[in-house]
Amino acid sequence: MDTLRLVEQWPVPHAAVAVIRPDGTVPFAHGDRTHVFPLASVTKLLTAHTTLIAVEEGALELDTPAGPEGATVRHLLAHTAGLGFNDHTVYAAPGERRLYSSAGFEQLAAAVAEHTGIAFDEYQKEALFQPLGMVDTRLEGSPGAGASSTLDDLLVFARELQEPALIDRSTLDLATRVAFAGLNGVLPGFGHQKPNDWGLGFEIRDGKDPHWTGKRASPRTFGHFGQSGTFLWVDPDAELACVALTDRDFGPWAAEAWPEFSDAVLAELA
């Protein structure tokens, strides 16, 4: 398979990569499925899904005030609360700009903890990791970038993002549609995008160019990549999800290799 050849050419010490369908079948896998990798910003997908579970449980609502004055859970999930990348400084009014923010996810987790009455890492373990059987996934740092996991665990999570068991399908559909449409912004590593579409915690591919999911991915493709050399995407039209974990930080190698690989996956398996 061209996909296997491409992965074996990646300039990384270790890579664990797989594709999963909604029915749980895995048509492609490569590498150690139990090796633990730092996820960096792929952590945000786990934090977002945990927040959606808390919303469905009634602990808080998407329009519950959270973060900077005037902002809500929805703003924090969609990177429109006006916060900086890694600092908690407010640079814009809520809803005005798409400012990608790990700090915003820290404030999001704090809001979930406040309204559930449970420390966020414990709530996440009870609400997300344990029900899905993600036995090797840990949040030991920032809810924006501090989790670690394995290929096997993230495949389980990727299937949840195709056939949700912990939240209603309508909630997932809402979270993977564009929130606060029309806002421009920077997609880290891929430059300024007009518009820079985002859902509720999930980056939306839409018409972005260049993009880390390649050119074959449907506009409805959603997911996230991490600075540690990791990504997870779901293409609902192709009925495929792909997880890649490496131990080399994101850089020009990934910006070149990932789109080529994702296009090959879709060409061979969609």
Side-chain angles (χ1 to χ4, degrees):
M1 297 177 69
D2 196 38
T3 47
L4 177 60
R5 177 185 62 81
L6 291 172
V7 171
E8 290 179 338
Q9 291 177 351
W10 287 0
V12 300
H14 300 93
V17 185
V19 176
I20 189 168
R21 300 188 188 277
D23 64 3
T25 57
V26 178
F28 171 81
H30 173 77
D32 186 346
R33 294 171 62 155
T34 62
H35 183 82
V36 176
F37 293 85
L39 299 183
S41 285
V42 174
T43 300
K44 291 181 176 68
L45 297 180
L46 304 175
T47 297
H49 210 68
T50 302
T51 302
L52 296 176
I53 293 170
V55 168
E56 285 212 349
E57 289 182 345
L60 73 174
E61 299 178 355
L62 290 174
D63 293 322
T64 296
E69 183 177 357
T72 65
V73 169
R74 191 189 307 269
H75 286 109
L76 291 170
L77 281 166
H79 298 284
T80 60
L83 291 166
F85 176 52
N86 275 326
D87 65 80
H88 294 263
T89 303
V90 177
Y91 292 96
E96 284 190 355
R97 295 171 62 189
R98 187 88 65 191
L99 296 175
Y100 179 77
S101 176
S102 281
F105 271 65
E106 293 171 3
Q107 296 198 21
L108 178 66
V112 172
E114 176 187 354
H115 288 276
T116 60
I118 306 171
F120 183 78
D121 59 339
E122 287 299 317
Y123 180 77
Q124 185 172 64
K125 185 188 304 181
E126 295 173 8
L128 179 62
F129 299 159
Q130 290 178 352
L132 291 183
M134 298 172 66
V135 296
D136 294 313
T137 305
R138 304 282 187 274
L139 177 63
E140 297 174 329
S142 166
S148 59
S149 189
T150 64
L151 182 62
D152 271 347
D153 275 13
L154 285 191
L155 285 175
V156 172
F157 180 62
R159 188 182 182 196
E160 164 72 8
L161 297 180
Q162 297 176 91
E163 293 291 337
L166 302 182
I167 60 174
D168 191 78
R169 164 62 69 177
S170 63
T171 301
L172 180 63
D173 289 346
L174 174 65
T176 56
R177 290 198 299 267
V178 179
F180 303 98
L183 295 181
N184 301 332
V186 174
L187 177 62
F190 290 88
H192 202 266
Q193 303 285 338
K194 298 181 179 181
N196 187 23
D197 286 338
W198 221 277
L200 300 180
F202 301 88
E203 195 229 320
I204 311 296
R205 196 232 180 279
D206 210 346
K208 294 171 184 167
D209 185 29
H211 198 260
W212 55 276
T213 61
K215 296 185 178 298
R216 286 181 174 268
S218 76
R220 295 204 300 146
T221 299
F222 62 88
H224 220 294
F225 77 87
Q227 185 62 35
S228 59
T230 59
F231 71 73
L232 187 162
W233 57 251
V234 178
D235 187 335
D237 292 353
E239 297 187 325
L240 292 174
C242 184
V243 177
L245 304 174
T246 78
D247 48 9
R248 181 180 179 183
D249 283 355
F250 173 85
W253 76 269
E256 179 180 347
W258 289 353
E260 182 183 18
F261 170 76
S262 294
D263 283 343
V265 167
L266 291 166
E268 293 180 4
L269 299 175

